Amino acid sequence: MTLTLDAPLVATPLGRINPVAKLAATAVVAVGLLVTVDLVTASVVLAAELTCLPFAGVGWRFLVRRAWPLPVAAAGVAIANVVASDASSATIGAISLRLVAIALPGVVAFAATDPVDLADSLHQQLRVPARFAYGSLAALRLLPLLSVEWQTIRRARRARGIDAGRSPLGALALFASAVFGLLVAAIRRATRLAAAMESRGFDAGGPRTVARRQVVRGADWALVAASMLVVGGANALAVVLGTWHPLLW
Amino acid sequence: MSAVVQARGWGWRHAGRRGWALRGLDLTIDEGERVLLLGPSGAGKSTLFQGLAGLLRAPEAGDPEGSLHVHGHLVSGPDPRTGIVFQDPASSLVMSRIGDEVAFGLENRAVPPGRIWADVRAALSAVELHQPLSHRVEHLSGGEQQRLAVADVLAVAPRLWLLDEPTSNLDPPGAALVRHTLRQLLADRSTTVIVVEHRVDDLVELVDRVVVLEPGGGVRHDGPPAEVFCRHGASMRASGVWVPGCTALRRVPSSAPGPPVVAAAALGVRYPAAAADALCDVDLEVDAAQVTAVVGANGSGKTTLALCLASLLAPTSGAVRFLAGGPDVPYARWAPRDLVRHVGTVFQEPEHQFVAASVRAELAVGAARTKMAPEETQRRVDELLERLRLSHLAAANPFTLSGGEKRRLSVATALVTRPQLLVLDEPTFGQDARTWDELVDLLAEARDDGRAIVTVTHDEELVHALADRVVRVDAGRLVSDQDAGRLVSDQVVREEPVGDAR
């Protein structure tokens, strides 16, 4: 299997939202949910998310394909808590729901953001230095190449007659030697890429222009405001209903 | 005319090395010249190239000696007037969409945003990439990616072009297109061009001056291509430099092919999430004492075929059977230790298959896995070290060897267990003429010893010198299978097959 860095939701309305705005909205949800462990806040936010997703162009098919690990992880957390802790079932439910409600916007935002747009937006809106924003972007582009390289290294070990045998220690040694091979390959590729970028004037210290303007529009502000409203409203509702329970779990 | 490049007693010693990579270089290159830079491996071509590109920084990267001026200034870093096309587009392209990729260099040079996209379009159309600007880089073929890299350079209109083996990573059709593009772009002679390339046959027409570096320092020959190659061709070839028009000797097999060693029947492979089959319905028997060359464009499925024949990839349909012994389980599920006894595989990148801390230990790996007796192992390892001129490096770490040494070692590790089948992926890639000759001799010897050899290759010269049979793969299908004795190598690799023989 090869790793791909596709962003399947780029063409949706959400895909057109400024990447930093998406990042901000995701952060608002995370912070707003981390301050409390209660069923009301978590379920209101999650319900709001699921209601809004279709309007943002995110279909159920996408959710099934990309977000299926979330309920699985939530169930895992719940089971672990039931077995290992004496927390009430409401608390366990809240912890699990909160996990899904925090992670879902992240999964969706990631799939709806082209990495190039993210780098542009980080550089232009948040003033992240180009060296960091585009350097990371270039590194990201190497990942699929390295996943192919990893496969080749594993095959080469088979060809050399090397297998782990039955001992876990052998498996560990085999894995470590393949990791070393991958590191060598990664450093070589990264060095080449850095030289190529440098030769094209990247990070030369002079002025730099931007070919793609990333702007913050009304819709971007609206997304951040809406996420604040939902999270704030959910917390307020929980306070009113008396379930609000500040706990940094 | 003013000098674009001026080296005076220039030298460079890489950090942590005792010897000089290059020293005592005196060289002047004037504006508008087209220079081909040659030299045996270790003569310092790539060091000079990096120096010209401004990628060598003292004191972190090493120590300089003498002076190197480019564009009239002492080189201190990359110069906006110098543009470089690197060898491997996959590790030199930065962005994910072709328009952004070309724009990247313009942004770095602070070109006004209003002008960038017009420049991008002009550069892309000059290299004949007519896809939309949002077309993804990974969807381009290797040759197209390299043309994109040319567009990157073209867009910033440099005065000096540095081309670092610009076609060596490409298949013959892709390489031909890149050469065509370069020839057109550089036709007006308004810029200076310096090319480093191993296999020079197709590039000689682009240049009007050849500079041959001397290992240990300085320039050995310098002059127009015809003169340099005529006068010094033989001695250059003997020292390992590729010389155009110098055809390698054909290694004629000493015996007729033996019985089949491995057979593919209705073999098909489809990678997960792929839209089409990588291989489809391939039937092929590989015979002992014969060299079978697998040719075809990049992405045609030839490496996939080789992996299946070497039991490194399980077919998704059909089967591959090993016919010369081995355990009684399906070939694709053989244990590695059984595999290494019967099959040797040489990967395109030698480092992928290195697992030991010294050259000697590396050679002993296969022997140990097959429980070869210690004295026998010792003898076999010594014999191969000697045969491949690696004896003086027996204690060295494989990763520290030169390119040619790594290649020789990787072939030796595959031969150590005397496998009946040897599978090689582009074994001659990037090798100088001396290592090339040694490899071809070694493989011919292994064949005449009765081993079946399968090699995936773009190297027409290798096909000519060694192949007894040429199998062509196109879009996952075996489209021709010919007896190489009856063919001229150029036709084999370059043109469409004449018909299905055999």
Side-chain angles (χ1 to χ4, degrees):
Chain A
M1 212 190 81
T2 55
L3 184 70
T4 51
L5 295 168
D6 59 331
L9 299 179
V10 171
T12 63
L14 191 62
R16 288 189 282 279
I17 295 284
N18 181 291
V20 166
K22 279 179 269 193
L23 212 59
T26 313
V28 165
V29 172
V31 172
L33 284 178
L34 280 174
V35 295
T36 168
V37 181
D38 72 284
L39 263 177
V40 173
T41 318
S43 42
V44 168
V45 172
L46 185 58
E49 285 169 2
L50 291 173
T51 316
C52 291
L53 285 181
F55 295 102
V58 183
W60 291 105
R61 204 176 301 152
F62 166 84
L63 286 183
V64 171
R65 216 174 49 239
R66 283 288 179 106
W68 63 264
L70 297 183
V72 173
V77 167
I79 291 166
N81 271 291
V82 168
V83 174
S85 79
D86 51 4
S88 72
S89 57
T91 308
I92 293 171
I95 289 170
S96 298
L97 275 187
R98 192 175 69 161
L99 177 80
V100 177
I102 290 175
L104 185 61
V107 170
V108 171
F110 183 75
T113 305
D114 186 299
V116 176
D117 295 341
L118 177 61
D120 285 339
S121 190
L122 285 173
H123 179 52
Q124 291 169 40
Q125 268 82 52
L126 295 187
R127 305 272 162 231
V128 170
R131 178 195 175 89
F132 177 78
Y134 296 102
S136 313
L137 184 67
L140 199 65
R141 228 185 61 75
L142 288 182
L143 285 182
L145 295 177
L146 288 179
S147 92
V148 172
E149 208 126 14
W150 173 251
Q151 235 168 16
T152 306
I153 288 168
R154 297 299 300 236
R155 285 195 182 116
R157 275 154 179 74
R158 171 170 166 80
R160 295 296 309 279
I162 298 170
D163 55 1
R166 284 190 193 84
S167 87
L169 221 60
L172 199 67
L174 178 63
F175 184 75
S177 104
V179 166
F180 177 76
L182 187 70
L183 265 178
V184 171
I187 290 170
R188 204 210 343 259
R189 280 202 186 270
T191 310
R192 280 189 204 151
L193 184 61
M197 291 173 78
E198 201 188 345
S199 78
R200 293 176 66 195
F202 183 65
D203 200 30
R208 191 174 192 281
T209 50
V210 293
R212 297 166 303 276
R213 294 260 305 158
Q214 284 285 348
V215 291
V216 184
R217 296 189 194 80
D220 304 322
W221 287 115
L223 176 72
V224 180
S227 65
M228 286 176 167
L229 212 67
V230 166
V231 170
N235 274 288
L237 184 65
V239 171
V240 170
L241 294 177
T243 62
W244 199 72
H245 184 47
L247 182 79
L248 285 170
W249 180 80
Chain B
M1 251 194 243
S2 61
V4 174
V5 173
Q6 195 148 44
R8 290 281 167 267
W10 190 69
W12 185 269
R13 183 169 56 191
H14 290 288
R17 295 291 169 93
R18 224 173 294 146
W20 291 81
L22 182 71
R23 81 187 302 192
L25 179 75
D26 289 300
L27 180 66
T28 304
I29 294 172
D30 287 324
E31 199 173 329
E33 282 197 283
R34 273 118 179 64
V35 179
L36 176 61
L37 204 55
L38 294 177
S41 6
K45 293 188 299 287
S46 54
T47 304
L48 174 57
F49 192 88
Q50 287 179 305
L52 292 170
L55 297 171
L56 294 178
R57 292 266 170 77
E60 311 92 64
D63 308 313
E65 183 182 76
S67 68
L68 179 62
H69 285 81
V70 177
H71 304 294
H73 298 283
L74 265 180
V75 180
S76 61
D79 188 300
R81 288 163 293 180
T82 303
I84 310 168
V85 178
F86 291 92
Q87 187 186 107
D88 177 19
S91 46
S92 66
L93 299 175
V94 181
M95 304 294 271
S96 48
R97 296 178 288 232
I98 65 173
D100 299 346
E101 171 60 29
V102 179
F104 178 73
L106 298 166
E107 293 174 308
N108 294 333
R109 307 287 188 214
V111 171
R115 237 186 62 202
I116 288 182
W117 294 105
D119 288 4
V120 168
R121 283 199 185 83
L124 285 172
S125 93
V127 301
E128 291 170 58
L129 284 176
H130 301 298
Q131 288 88 341
L133 296 183
S134 61
H135 194 79
R136 299 192 70 85
V137 172
E138 69 262 28
H139 295 157
L140 296 177
S141 70
E144 289 172 327
Q145 289 190 354
Q146 195 62 308
R147 268 147 62 208
L148 178 60
V150 171
D152 288 344
V153 172
L154 187 67
V156 295
R159 308 293 309 146
L160 170 64
W161 285 68
L162 298 177
L163 309 176
D164 181 11
E165 305 191 25
T167 59
S168 69
N169 265 40
L170 310 177
D171 55 19
L177 274 171
V178 169
R179 276 196 303 274
H180 171 76
T181 301
L182 288 171
R183 195 178 306 126
Q184 294 210 315
L185 295 178
L186 305 175
D188 68 351
R189 304 197 163 252
S190 60
T191 51
T192 310
V193 181
I194 302 175
V195 196
V196 176
E197 183 65 274
H198 270 288
R199 308 298 281 268
V200 295
D201 290 66
D202 303 305
L203 282 169
V204 152
E205 52 176 319
L206 285 179
V207 303
D208 44 33
R209 179 177 170 194
V210 172
V211 172
V212 185
L213 297 182
E214 171 78 39
V219 171
R220 188 193 285 175
H221 310 298
D222 186 352
E227 191 188 305
V228 170
F229 291 129
C230 270
R231 275 210 201 138
H232 312 290
S235 70
M236 282 163 63
R237 169 80 203 215
S239 72
V241 179
W242 285 102
V243 172
C246 187
T247 314
L249 206 68
R250 183 161 164 78
R251 274 69 164 181
V252 181
S254 65
S255 64
V261 169
V262 68
L267 170 64
V269 173
R270 181 182 287 231
Y271 291 106
D277 289 334
L279 274 185
C280 183
D281 207 19
V282 170
D283 291 297
L284 180 69
E285 273 189 1
V286 173
D287 296 340
Q290 191 177 47
V291 175
T292 305
V294 180
V295 302
N298 283 344
S300 60
K302 41 185 205 313
T303 296
T304 302
L305 174 59
L307 288 173
C308 289
L309 292 176
S311 178
L312 298 177
L313 179 67
T316 41
S317 63
V320 178
R321 281 182 309 133
F322 193 80
L323 308 168
D328 196 18
V329 289
Y331 186 43
R333 292 214 303 271
W334 280 18
R337 63 190 61 222
D338 293 319
L339 194 61
V340 74
R341 185 191 301 270
H342 298 282
V343 182
T345 306
V346 177
F347 286 74
Q348 186 173 349
E349 197 77 66
E351 288 184 3
H352 282 148
Q353 57 189 111
F354 292 160
V355 295
S358 75
V359 168
R360 175 173 287 282
E362 196 67 63
L363 284 169
V365 167
R369 307 307 286 184
T370 54
K371 306 254 182 331
M372 196 186 276
E375 318 80 66
E376 162 80 2
T377 304
Q378 177 84 13
R379 221 190 45 241
R380 184 82 182 125
V381 168
D382 285 337
E383 177 189 315
L384 280 164
L385 283 172
E386 188 69 30
R387 177 76 182 75
L388 290 163
R389 291 190 291 123
L390 293 169
S391 301
H392 63 295
L393 295 166
N397 187 306
F399 281 92
T400 63
L401 304 183
S402 76
E405 290 159 354
K406 280 180 190 157
R407 172 48 78 210
R408 299 204 297 270
L409 177 60
S410 70
V411 176
T413 57
L415 284 174
V416 98
T417 58
R418 302 181 192 278
Q420 290 106 319
L421 171 65
L422 192 59
V423 178
L424 308 104
D425 193 358
E426 299 282 3
T428 53
F429 176 76
Q431 300 305 320
D432 71 5
R434 185 159 180 216
T435 302
W436 192 93
D437 278 332
E438 286 169 349
L439 278 175
V440 173
D441 284 337
L442 189 72
L443 294 177
E445 201 179 291
R447 167 191 62 193
D448 295 340
D449 247 14
R451 278 164 242 301
I453 297 178
V454 175
T455 178
V456 167
T457 190
H458 289 317
D459 183 349
E460 297 165 14
E461 194 97 0
L462 177 68
V463 171
H464 164 79
L466 193 65
D468 307 311
R469 177 183 175 194
V470 180
V471 167
R472 173 178 288 275
V473 182
D474 183 34
R477 287 176 184 274
L478 215 152
V479 292
S480 84
D481 183 349
Q482 294 170 302
D483 182 347
R486 296 170 25 206
L487 287 165
V488 180
S489 70
D490 277 9
Q491 287 176 339
V492 176
V493 187
R494 275 203 189 130
E495 290 171 15
E496 282 310 302
V498 198
D500 287 15
R502 202 188 156 91

